[in-house]
Amino acid sequence: QVQLVESGGGWVQYGGSLALSCAASGSSFIFMSMGWYRQAPGKQRELVAVISSAGTTQYADSVKGRFTISRDNAKNTVFLQMNSLEPEDTAVYYCHASAFLEGTRQSNDYWGQGTQVTVSS
C-alpha cells in the first residue's frame, strides 16, 4: 500500500518562509505526479502546485513566484518551498500522489494526513 508522510509546516509571520516535504512509500508502486493541495476553513480543497515525474510543474496563480515545488525521484519525495507567505496562505496542506502498481495500468490517488500552515499578519 502507498503511504505519504508529510513534514514541515507550522506558524510563521507575514512575509516569512516555510518548507514542506512529503515522502511516499509503497513497494512496487510507480509514482507519477506528486503535489500539494490546501484547504482553508470553510473553503474547498485547492491545488497549490504539482510536479510530474519528468519535472514539469504547475502552480496555482495565487502562489506563482512565491512557492517552488521540487521532487527527488530516487526517494519518492516532493518538496514545497514557500516564501513571502501571506495570511491567505493559512490552510491545511495535503500531499498528493498519483501512482500505479508495477505491471498494471490502473493509477490511484493517494493523500497525506495534512499539515497545518498558519501565517499571521
Side-chain angles (χ1 to χ4, degrees):
Q1 190 53 277
V2 172
Q3 186 176 17
L4 303 180
V5 179
E6 302 154 341
S7 61
W11 177 90
V12 68
Q13 287 189 322
Y14 177 89
S17 298
L18 285 173
L20 305 179
S21 63
C22 172
S25 61
S27 178
S28 300
F29 278 86
I30 304 297
F31 293 92
M32 298 182 294
S33 67
M34 297 184 74
W36 295 92
Y37 288 70
R38 67 186 180 186
Q39 187 167 18
K43 295 187 177 181
Q44 289 188 330
R45 190 173 297 189
E46 63 176 2
L47 172 71
V48 176
V50 63
I51 184 168
S52 72
S53 57
T56 302
T57 59
Q58 180 184 345
Y59 294 92
D61 287 343
S62 60
V63 307
K64 283 180 181 177
R66 300 187 298 122
F67 291 11
T68 302
I69 190 170
S70 60
R71 67 187 282 174
D72 182 337
N73 286 334
K75 297 181 179 180
N76 291 326
T77 301
V78 62
F79 307 94
L80 186 68
Q81 178 64 42
M82 305 182 290
N83 298 327
S84 302
L85 282 161
E86 304 167 353
E88 292 73 22
D89 296 315
T90 295
V92 177
Y93 284 68
Y94 296 92
C95 177
H96 169 267
S98 178
F100 64 92
L101 188 62
E102 282 185 290
T104 73
R105 295 186 178 185
Q106 178 66 45
S107 66
N108 291 296
D109 294 322
Y110 299 92
W111 295 91
Q113 77 282 3
T115 185
Q116 178 70 44
V117 171
T118 302
V119 184
S120 65
S121 59

